[in-house]
Amino acid sequence: MRPNGAAYARIAYARELKGNARGALEAMQMAVQSTSAHDPEAQAWYVAHVGELYLRLGNLDEAEREFARADFIFPNYPYARIGQGKVLAQRGDRAEALAVFSAQFARTPSLDLAARIGDLHADAGNRAEADRFYQLAEDLAGPGLAQTEAGLALFLAERDRKVAEAVTI
C-alpha cells in the first residue's frame, strides 16, 4: 500500500536480473527518495547501489557522484568507499584505487576486496602479491567443506584458480 525503500530495492533487483538496468536505476532512486533522513545508513546503502548501477551502465561521473554522496550521508560507509575505489580503477588510477581498497580491507576484510586488491597487483605485474591476496580471498570465504558461497565460485572461475572446486561450489 505504501512502498518503502526495501520494496523499491526489490523491484530494482528484479529489473536488473531481467536486464533492465535503466529500470533498476529508476527503482533504486525511488528507494533513496522513500528512505527517511533519520536512517542515514539505509540512505547510504541505497545511494551506493545507485552508484553501482551507474557504474554498470558505464557512467563513471554519475557513479562517482553517488558514491561520494553515500560517503557524505554516512561517513566511511564501506560500500561507498569500495565504489569510489571501483571508479578509480576503471579510470585507470590503479595506485589510488589500491590505496582505497587497502584502507577498506584493513577495516573490513572481505573476499571481494582481497580479490580486487589481487587484481590490481596482477595488472601491475606483481604476481607474488596478487597470489597472496587471492589466497586471502579464498581464506576469507571460509572452510571448503562448508563453502556454498557463489562469490567464491565466481572468484575462482574468473581467475582460473581451482576451476574444478569452483564448479563443485
Side-chain angles (χ1 to χ4, degrees):
M1 300 278 297
R2 224 181 306 171
N4 61 10
Y8 288 122
R10 286 186 194 98
I11 291 167
Y13 294 142
R15 288 178 177 174
E16 188 176 8
L17 286 172
K18 292 190 172 260
N20 183 358
R22 294 254 176 239
L25 177 61
E26 179 183 298
M28 196 61 78
Q29 288 169 327
M30 292 170 79
V32 172
Q33 293 168 357
S34 68
T35 302
S36 169
H38 297 291
D39 192 352
E41 186 172 8
Q43 274 192 327
W45 192 90
Y46 295 126
V47 170
H49 280 75
V50 167
E52 283 291 335
L53 288 165
Y54 275 124
L55 200 59
R56 289 186 187 133
L57 288 167
N59 191 332
L60 297 181
D61 291 338
E62 290 296 321
E64 180 179 43
R65 182 178 57 87
E66 294 301 323
F67 290 131
R69 185 172 118 175
D71 194 42
F72 177 79
I73 291 169
F74 198 87
N76 292 315
Y77 189 59
Y79 292 124
R81 298 297 297 144
I82 293 166
Q84 290 169 328
K86 290 177 184 179
V87 170
L88 290 165
Q90 285 201 13
R91 286 197 167 135
D93 191 347
R94 287 175 171 48
E96 191 60 31
L98 183 60
V100 169
F101 291 153
S102 296
Q104 190 58 48
F105 187 81
R107 287 191 289 277
T108 54
S110 69
L111 181 155
D112 178 65
L113 278 170
R116 289 181 187 285
I117 293 168
D119 290 345
L120 289 171
H121 283 298
D123 289 347
N126 188 347
R127 193 75 227 161
E129 200 63 4
D131 286 339
R132 185 172 81 83
F133 275 94
Y134 289 159
Q135 186 59 54
L136 276 171
E138 291 180 46
D139 294 346
L140 287 165
L145 289 174
Q147 190 49 253
T148 58
E149 166 98 28
L152 176 62
L154 188 59
F155 161 77
L156 292 171
E158 286 177 340
R159 288 159 185 87
D160 200 23
R161 294 172 63 89
K162 302 178 185 174
V163 175
E165 187 177 325
V167 171
T168 301
I169 293 169

